[in-house]
């Protein structure tokens, strides 16, 4: 119930101009709290760490565009708001993507877990948002099979999420 309310609140923020990075900030705050909570199991904390890293990556990539927009014409808030909206939408999609992946893993038969991981993993690589050439950095989680969320940081989370929602999971 609490998660549903949080998601509804976040989604409603998209209907108005984004004066701040509210969705991104809320996801980041929650993920940081879980990441730093030593009473949580290691896997849960690593998932939260991924979410923090993904949000940090998004910010690093989009912040220069925000600053350029503000410096070029401080009165024109259109570019600023578009970039903030991009951050919020991508952060929410990443949050939903990771949670969908964990649900699919839980629902899958044991023998199909590797296939589920492969599909989700590939969707993050094939839906690059920034086309970042620093593959060592963007694939730092992807190349960690010992982590539950082996995804690329350079991902268009909205596209990847839309793709994964259209996969027929009935036989997997």
């Amino acid at each position: 119930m609490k998660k549903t309310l949080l998601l509804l609140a976040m989604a409603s923020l998209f209907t108005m101009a984004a004066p701040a990075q509210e969705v991104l900030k809320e996801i980041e705050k929650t993920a940081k709290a879980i990441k730093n909570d030593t009473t949580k199991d290691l896997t849960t904390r690593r998932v939260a760490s991924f979410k923090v890293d993904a949000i940090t990556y998004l910010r690093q990539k989009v912040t220069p565009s925000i600053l350029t927009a503000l410096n070029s014409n401080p009165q024109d808030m259109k570019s600023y708001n578009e970039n903030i909206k991009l951050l919020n939408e991508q952060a929410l999609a990443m949050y939903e993507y990771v949670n969908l992946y964990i649900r699919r893993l839980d629902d899958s038969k044991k023998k199909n877990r590797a296939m589920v991981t492969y599909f989700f993993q590939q969707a993050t690589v094939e839906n690059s948002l920034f086309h970042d050439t620093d593959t060592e950095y963007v694939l730092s989680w992807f190349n960690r099979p010992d982590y539950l969320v082996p995804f690329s940081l350079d991902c268009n989370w909205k596209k990847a999420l839309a793709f994964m929602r259209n996969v027929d999971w009935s036989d997997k």
Side-chain angles (χ1 to χ4, degrees), residues 54-65:
I55 287 171
T56 300
Y57 178 78
L58 282 168
R59 269 205 182 113
Q60 288 172 346
K61 289 301 196 178
V62 176
T63 298
S65 299

Side-chain angles (χ1 to χ4, degrees), residues 11 14 31 36 42 81 92 96 111 132 141 148 151 157-158:
F14 292 129
N36 296 323
L42 185 59
N81 283 331
L92 182 58
E96 291 177 355
K111 64 181 180 174
D132 196 332
W141 284 86
L148 182 64
F151 303 141
W157 296 104
K158 283 179 63 176

Side-chain angles (χ1 to χ4, degrees), residues 24 27 30 55 68 95 103 119:
L24 182 132
I27 292 170
T30 303
I55 287 171
T68 300
Y95 176 85
R103 271 194 319 275
F119 276 124

Side-chain angles (χ1 to χ4, degrees), residues 1-10 26 30 95:
M1 179 69 175
K2 198 173 193 179
K3 282 185 183 180
T4 305
L5 290 174
L6 175 66
L7 287 175
L8 287 173
M10 286 186 214
E26 185 60 32
T30 303
Y95 176 85

